[in-house]
Amino acid sequence: MAKPIWIKHAAQLATLASDIKGARSKEAMSELGLIEDGSLWIEDGKIKAAGTTAEVEKRYKDRLSEAGVVDASGRLVTPGLVDPHTHVVYGGSRAREFEMRLEGASYMDIMNAGGGIHATARMTREAPEAELIEQTARRLDSFLAHGVTAVEGKSGYGMNIETEVKQLRVMKQLQQRHPIDLVPTFMGAHAVPPEFKGREDEFVDHLIADMLPVIAKEGLAEFNDVFCEKGVFTPEQSERILQAGKTYGLIPKIHADEIEPYGGAELAAKVGAISAEHLLKVSDEGIEAMAKAGTIACLLPATALYLREEAAKGRKMIDAGVPVAISTDCNPGSSPTTSMPLVMNLACISMRMTPAEALTAATYNAACAINREMQIGSLEAGKQADIVLWNVRSYQELQYLFGVNHVHSVWKKGKEVVNHAKQLSPANTQALTK
Ligand code: NIG
Ligand code: FE
């Protein structure tokens, strides 16, 4: 059995522990469970105790010599960050589209002309599975290097059975070989594929009759997401897809009100979606409906920045009682980044969330958005030992000194998988095995 790990003398340990069940809203988003001179005792990949160094030392006084000691003096220690919304499995690059957008083309113009999601779908359909695995593994390495220990990933660059299944199988394989926890979402309704152009309802019928049963039978996904947007899927089509998914046990999520207000947030509340994503253009009624239903708003400020749009109204949503999570939206078109630290910074700068709210949104509430809050998202006895040590002293500094990767080291299930000081990373060590 591996020896216990004793992390001690953290300048600030943000446990995120709380008695509140479920996603946190309003003032509860500021409760970080802070402990000065903090300490963690880890065994068998799990947290056994969290407290002050003196408390943990006293409790394990007979076993201290057994433990591997990690001195966290001068460092902030937090739960591993959780990214609850990514499109991390894809083929190719859209660097030219980035240039086109800067020259004046809009995101939707490019997509309607056969680029955007369609361009990535062509490249993903063509990519051999092994190549997708390698490319995605490198992106997961980068997530880990930025302190992210769990990532949701969506299909949706196939929009045909073969490629949707291929993307989800890539995630399943990476789940076996990469330290990151990967949580799969089926998003066959990401766009209407060219072969169904002008026959949108037929595509919806096909997705429900032919795709969902295959995904469910192979147990390839936990969530079902749809791009509910003018020119993509209507609220009615989205509702059909999400209700059908529910009959197979898939939990609904919705890309809602990103480009135009379209009733997506209202629909999320109506169908009992676990989260609604983007919400740049959400209506006041939508915010109210989400607060009432307890739908998590998954906000993506890096996407807004990258599309040069005004960010979602995070401050307003929190004040209205909506639990907020944040995410990179990592994808090749609207947000090609793996930096959750940057997303936390942007949550503060562009959405006026406080540093404490941003940390809750990137850890505990993000875990709630992928139905994992019983295992990850806070540092409490019984939970997975997914931990980040930072090169800053406090959670305020983490947001204040922006745009920098302050990660010192990352522990996944009680194993050190990244240490920038020792140049330990999954790409150059054996950490790619679980
Ligand atoms: O969440 N909005 C829809 N889907 C993705 C973008 C996908 C892409 O451009 O490839 C998003 O931003
Ligand atoms: Fe997305």
Side-chain angles (χ1 to χ4, degrees), residues 85-87 154 187 190 225 255 258 277-278 300 303 329-331 334:
H85 175 145
T86 82
H87 308 255
K154 303 174 197 295
M187 198 178 178
H190 197 187
D225 200 340
H255 279 60
E258 177 184 358
E277 334 287 304
H278 289 283
L300 315 166
T303 310
D329 190 19
C330 174
N331 75 73
S334 66

